[in-house]
Amino acid sequence: KVIWTLLVTILGYASTLPVGDDSICTAEELAKYSIIFTGKWSQTAFPKQYPLYRPPAQWSSMLGVTHSSDYSMWKKNEYASNGVRDFAEKGEAWVLMKEIEEAGQKIQSVHGIFSAPAISSGTGQTSTELEVHSRHPLVSFVVRIVPSPDWFVGIDSLNLCEGDHWMEEVSVDLFPYDAGTDSGFTFSSPNFATIPQDTVTEITCSSPSHPANSFYYPKLKILPPIAQVTMVKLRKNQLGLSAPYFNVPAKSNEIIDSVS
């Protein structure tokens, strides 16, 4: 009776412990996805100060990771790491990759790293494949907005596992973020470090509230999405094939001239 009472007490206590978002995944151990990034940064969509040369509007390569809730690449309202700072400001990935590698070795929170080629214009697609694990079902990535002071788009810890199965397909509209490390207002602002460093914040049509801000459209309620990402689960007979380029249907993100 004593042992039984003790066991019930322990189990009851365990059931009250906080559970991470990824700890309840009971889907098959591994799943593979194609990830398609679509740039929607056109002059029609974002006419204000649209960069046409030196350099023209474009996207950096994508750098991403599949991981557990023990790791975070970046988070809104938290300070960017040195690696995210270097990537957001200069498109340099070495420090960020080292941070990911160290997290994987130290707390085994990382399953894999993935990357996709840069896009040489504001609109276009790039794609690659990624693998998730039942203990590492979260996806995070960053893509730098080029040119910009320290602006990027990305996803923070998207869970592709739903209980006992993997999601078949998911699409997410993406909006610009400020890494909080450079104080420039415009796409082509010179380097002007933010001291002390600020947290990662979402750039909106009214924040930063300054007419010089390249995304300042005070007559809009929200900015149109500047990019979109779609992840499609691959069937086993598709594994090992290169990720296809999908013409992902998307809602228009154009800003009406009279409004801008």
Side-chain angles (χ1 to χ4, degrees):
K1 286 184 178 180
V2 173
I3 294 174
W4 175 252
T5 302
L6 183 61
L7 182 60
V8 169
T9 302
I10 293 171
L11 290 175
Y13 171 73
S15 67
T16 65
L17 292 175
V19 178
D21 288 342
D22 54 322
S23 62
I24 55 174
C25 180
T26 57
E28 59 181 334
E29 191 174 52
L30 296 173
K32 202 163 191 177
Y33 286 80
S34 64
I35 177 169
I36 306 100
F37 177 89
T38 304
K40 301 171 72 176
W41 183 21
S42 67
Q43 188 172 10
T44 306
F46 297 90
K48 186 177 180 182
Q49 301 167 358
Y50 188 80
L52 296 172
Y53 57 92
R54 296 184 182 179
Q58 57 191 277
W59 301 95
S60 77
S61 58
M62 171 193 290
L63 181 60
V65 60
T66 56
H67 59 97
S68 70
S69 59
D70 294 323
Y71 171 78
S72 173
M73 175 181 269
W74 66 274
K75 279 191 180 299
K76 183 179 177 180
N77 299 326
E78 293 189 7
Y79 293 105
S81 67
N82 291 335
V84 171
R85 178 199 65 203
D86 285 358
F87 192 87
E89 288 189 11
K90 298 174 282 188
E92 295 177 358
W94 300 113
V95 176
L96 182 53
M97 289 182 69
K98 188 176 180 181
E99 290 173 353
I100 296 170
E101 184 181 346
E102 288 175 351
Q105 292 175 346
K106 193 172 183 180
I107 53 179
Q108 298 183 340
S109 56
V110 171
H111 179 70
I113 299 176
F114 59 90
S115 64
I119 303 174
S120 60
S121 61
T123 59
Q125 288 188 337
T126 187
S127 67
T128 188
E129 293 182 0
L130 62 87
E131 185 179 76
V132 283
H133 186 277
S134 56
R135 293 194 301 276
H136 305 85
L138 308 181
V139 175
S140 297
F141 72 82
V142 287
V143 179
R144 180 177 182 247
I145 297 173
V146 183
S148 75
D150 60 341
W151 301 342
F152 69 95
V153 296
I155 278 181
D156 165 37
S157 303
L158 176 67
N159 195 342
L160 293 179
C161 183
E162 290 185 317
D164 62 352
H165 67 279
W166 295 103
M167 298 173 69
E168 290 296 323
E169 182 174 335
V170 58
S171 291
V172 180
D173 286 334
L174 303 176
F175 300 89
Y177 281 90
D178 186 319
T181 61
D182 192 296
S183 297
F185 272 124
T186 67
F187 295 119
S188 57
S189 292
N191 185 37
F192 183 55
T194 302
I195 301 173
Q197 181 177 335
D198 203 352
T199 57
V200 174
T201 55
E202 184 176 350
I203 300 171
T204 71
C205 55
S206 57
S207 177
S209 183
H210 194 291
N213 175 19
S214 291
F215 287 110
Y216 188 67
Y217 296 96
K219 292 184 180 180
L220 294 180
K221 289 185 177 180
I222 59 170
L223 281 177
I226 195 170
Q228 185 184 59
V229 67
T230 299
M231 281 164 275
V232 181
K233 186 174 180 288
L234 297 176
R235 297 182 181 88
K236 290 185 178 178
N237 61 358
Q238 290 178 285
L239 300 186
L241 299 177
S242 59
Y245 276 65
F246 292 94
N247 287 318
V248 180
K251 293 175 287 186
S252 172
N253 71 331
E254 293 185 359
I255 293 175
I256 299 171
D257 287 341
S258 60
V259 176
S260 63

